[in-house]
Amino acid sequence: MTFFNSLEVNSGAFYSMGITNSDQEKFDRVLQQVGDAIGYVCIDVANGYTEAFVRFVEQFRQAHPQLTIMAGNVVTGEMTEELILSGADIVKVGIGPGSVCTTRSMTGVGYPQLSAVIECADAAHGLDGRICSDGGCVVPGDIAKAFGGGADFVMLGGMLAGHDECAGDVVERDGQRYKRFYGMSSRIAMEKYAGGVADYRAAEGKEALVELHGPAANTVQEILGGVRSACTYVGARTLKEFTKRATFVRVGARANELFDRE
């Protein structure tokens, strides 16, 4: 809560939360302090396929009709439709594709990210909803393909890690400086924020050391340049038009390699 007190915020602030009672209580306290500063809320769980999650989204929408709600994560059209009908404006798509996520190797559960984006975007847009592709982008071309598959937003983690603006401890090894980057389901994250890994489960994330990259502006410029060039290649004037111009062709056994790097 001190984070909001230390900044001049406006209705563009995005608040991320879980679905526990303590998450709800914390959000209520923050909302009392900052008033209308929060315009967007991300209701974020690892597994969006539970009745409790859907009920929470529905109740949250009823309590806060003025907010833009993003909810996830899911990977199928049916669940995308369910969340939008329950009150979500944006559905966050992706299970297991992130570079520091180990869900697929630990549980055997996952879904090819590009396939998920295409399927969920089709379902969401039919109900005038939106989707956010979450995880798996390594190069600017991956972001362009996500937009081409129908994503309205793309979330980045690893591509923006290690920059001057990023939080994280700086580590020196063999004369090289790195920043720690870890998934929120990793052991280090749960020990830091949740009191440790519960006895009944295993960590589904890992820690990585990322080379320092300097200011984020250079990487952002590369991303913007790549996406702009992709638009010119497919003849799209805007990102909204991009998905109407892009097509995908299967070229081999690893054709769906996008976002599926283990």
Side-chain angles (χ1 to χ4, degrees):
M1 285 177 284
T2 56
F3 170 75
F4 287 102
N5 289 337
S6 65
L7 294 176
E8 182 179 346
V9 291
N10 52 47
S11 59
F14 217 129
Y15 184 95
S16 183
M17 63 184 294
I19 63 172
T20 65
N21 290 336
S22 61
D23 291 324
Q24 180 67 68
E25 292 169 0
K26 181 179 179 181
F27 174 76
D28 291 339
R29 292 195 301 270
V30 171
L31 199 61
Q32 288 178 1
Q33 290 194 20
V34 300
D36 296 331
I38 297 175
Y40 306 84
V41 172
C42 177
I43 305 174
D44 192 2
V45 298
N47 176 14
Y49 290 84
T50 65
E51 291 183 9
F53 177 60
V54 175
R55 283 199 305 270
F56 186 93
V57 172
E58 187 173 11
Q59 293 168 1
F60 194 89
R61 166 54 72 203
Q62 292 172 357
H64 304 284
Q66 79 284 6
L67 295 177
T68 297
I69 299 174
M70 180 161 68
N73 282 27
V74 300
V75 289
T76 54
E78 294 85 355
M79 204 63 204
T80 297
E81 292 176 352
E82 182 74 18
L83 289 174
I84 291 174
L85 292 173
S86 297
D89 301 289
I90 308 165
V91 175
K92 194 147 68 77
V93 175
I95 293 180
S99 61
V100 288
C101 180
T102 60
T103 295
R104 292 178 181 177
S105 59
M106 288 298 296
T107 70
V109 175
Y111 203 105
Q113 184 68 357
L114 179 57
S115 297
V117 166
I118 293 172
E119 181 177 337
C120 294
D122 184 58
H125 296 162
L127 294 173
D128 200 28
R130 302 289 182 266
I131 70 160
C132 176
S133 176
D134 177 15
C137 291
V138 178
V139 293
D142 292 341
I143 302 171
K145 291 172 187 176
F147 284 126
D152 302 285
F153 308 91
V154 179
M155 184 175 292
L156 302 178
M159 286 186 71
L160 295 179
H163 291 87
D164 293 345
E165 295 85 352
C166 297
D169 301 328
V170 176
V171 178
E172 291 194 19
R173 292 191 178 177
D174 300 324
Q176 182 66 47
R177 302 177 74 213
Y178 303 86
K179 271 193 177 180
R180 295 188 188 277
F181 173 53
Y182 51 81
M184 291 308 295
S185 290
S186 64
R187 183 173 299 277
I188 185 174
M190 285 192 280
E191 288 176 349
K192 188 173 183 179
Y193 300 108
V197 182
D199 293 338
Y200 62 86
R201 61 164 299 181
E204 294 177 24
K206 62 183 180 181
E207 176 187 354
L209 294 179
V210 180
E211 278 190 48
L212 293 182
H213 298 312
N218 297 331
T219 298
V220 171
Q221 182 56 45
E222 284 190 358
I223 291 171
L224 293 175
V227 173
R228 289 188 183 110
S229 291
C231 286
T232 64
Y233 275 112
V234 301
R237 293 179 179 272
T238 64
L239 284 180
K240 187 174 182 179
E241 188 181 347
F242 195 172
T243 185
K244 299 176 182 178
R245 304 295 185 192
T247 58
F248 294 91
V249 180
R250 184 177 294 275
V251 295
R254 293 290 293 177
N256 217 3
E257 185 177 4
L258 172 62
F259 311 145
D260 292 336
R261 303 174 181 90
E262 297 297 341

